[in-house]
Amino acid sequence: DQQVKQNSPSLSVQEGRISILNCDYTNSMFDYFLWYKKYPAEGPTFLISISSIKDKNEDGRFTVFLNKSAKHLSLHIVPSQPGDSAVYFCAASEGWDNYGQNFVFGPGTRLSVLP
Amino acid sequence: DADVTQTPRNRITKTGKRIMLECSQTKGHDRMYWYRQDPGLGLRLIYYSFDVKDINKGEISDGYSVSRQAQAKFSLSLESAIPNQTALYFCATSDFWGYTFGSGTRLTVV
């Protein structure tokens, strides 16, 4: 059973509007979350993170919200731009061990921003 | 140079052939990973290595093997390739804060 779920395989949004990508998790021990963005023919690249001590983290047009009680996080992109069209992966970790963290990835959501 | 380099970028091979995918990193990280990406399934972990002497199976290790030749090098082998191993393969390293991925190897088994 998937511990990290992204139930929308794809999302289309008009340029300039808000994109909201959702991620749900089942493991209550997860306490650090990442969003990765992936363009075709490239590896995923880090976008934004949030730890469980926060409920919001903002970086420019990108904001991640965390609702621990609902085991849900969301990525908001405002305003959406055509260059944001990519696959977005949510990833979660239980925390540190001696070497760092092991992340579990969701299946991804393909965002298409239409001009 | 990229932080994580994968070779080859693309490969077509025949069923039953042995193939090796190579990965090298310049990040100086101890931890390295091999992931496989399939449509609708996201990134699934094949193997990971905490350091040169440590190798661990991931979620889908059957049919694969790995070798950690040095801190900077982690290779993935398919001993006898089969068509359902056709996928996009990613190598990654990590530190405390997250992952750095290579650009991927697109493998097609015919």
Side-chain angles (χ1 to χ4, degrees):
Chain A
D1 196 25
Q2 282 188 334
Q3 295 188 73
V4 179
K5 303 177 185 181
Q6 294 175 257
N7 291 322
S8 297
S10 63
L11 175 68
S12 292
V13 171
Q14 210 67 37
E15 181 179 4
R17 307 293 285 265
I18 183 171
S19 295
I20 300 177
L21 294 91
N22 293 305
C23 178
D24 296 286
Y25 60 95
T26 57
N27 185 347
S28 58
M29 300 299 292
F30 286 148
D31 65 358
Y32 188 61
F33 305 88
L34 307 175
W35 283 93
Y36 280 82
K37 176 178 180 179
K38 183 187 175 304
Y39 292 117
E42 295 182 14
T45 55
F46 171 76
L47 186 59
I48 195 169
S49 65
I50 190 166
S51 75
S52 60
I53 62 173
K54 294 181 146 186
D55 55 17
K56 177 182 173 182
N57 190 25
E58 194 171 352
D59 183 1
R61 296 185 297 112
F62 301 91
T63 303
V64 56
F65 295 91
L66 175 63
N67 182 332
K68 292 184 288 294
S69 60
K71 297 191 185 70
H72 176 83
L73 64 158
S74 60
L75 174 68
H76 292 212
I77 307 174
V78 183
S80 302
Q81 299 174 354
D84 296 329
S85 297
V87 177
Y88 290 79
F89 292 101
C90 170
S93 166
E94 289 188 20
W96 313 112
D97 60 26
N98 288 337
Y99 293 89
Q101 303 191 67
N102 252 358
F103 286 89
V104 178
F105 286 85
T109 296
R110 181 177 300 278
L111 174 66
S112 299
V113 180
L114 309 173
Chain B
D1 283 347
D3 292 328
V4 180
T5 301
Q6 291 182 235
T7 55
R9 289 297 309 272
N10 290 284
R11 181 73 180 266
I12 301 173
T13 191
K14 292 184 177 180
T15 298
K17 292 289 188 182
R18 184 179 188 275
I19 183 168
M20 178 183 287
L21 310 183
E22 302 198 25
C23 176
S24 62
Q25 53 115 346
T26 58
K27 301 285 285 184
H29 295 163
D30 287 321
R31 188 171 267 192
M32 297 188 73
Y33 308 80
W34 275 102
Y35 283 90
R36 166 178 173 161
Q37 185 191 5
D38 297 279
L41 296 176
L43 293 164
R44 293 185 294 166
L45 183 62
I46 306 173
Y47 271 95
Y48 63 103
S49 170
F50 286 6
D51 64 23
V52 175
K53 297 179 182 178
D54 181 270
I55 302 289
N56 303 279
K57 291 183 177 180
E59 180 185 353
I60 53 163
S61 58
D62 287 349
Y64 301 95
S65 62
V66 291
S67 174
R68 185 80 184 266
Q69 300 95 327
Q71 187 203 40
K73 295 185 182 296
F74 192 37
S75 59
L76 175 72
S77 293
L78 286 68
E79 298 302 326
S80 179
I82 56 176
N84 76 1
Q85 291 177 312
T86 293
L88 191 53
Y89 290 84
F90 288 102
C91 175
T93 72
S94 73
D95 61 8
F96 284 166
W97 306 110
Y99 286 56
T100 301
F101 286 88
S103 297
T105 295
R106 183 168 295 282
L107 176 66
T108 304
V109 183
V110 297

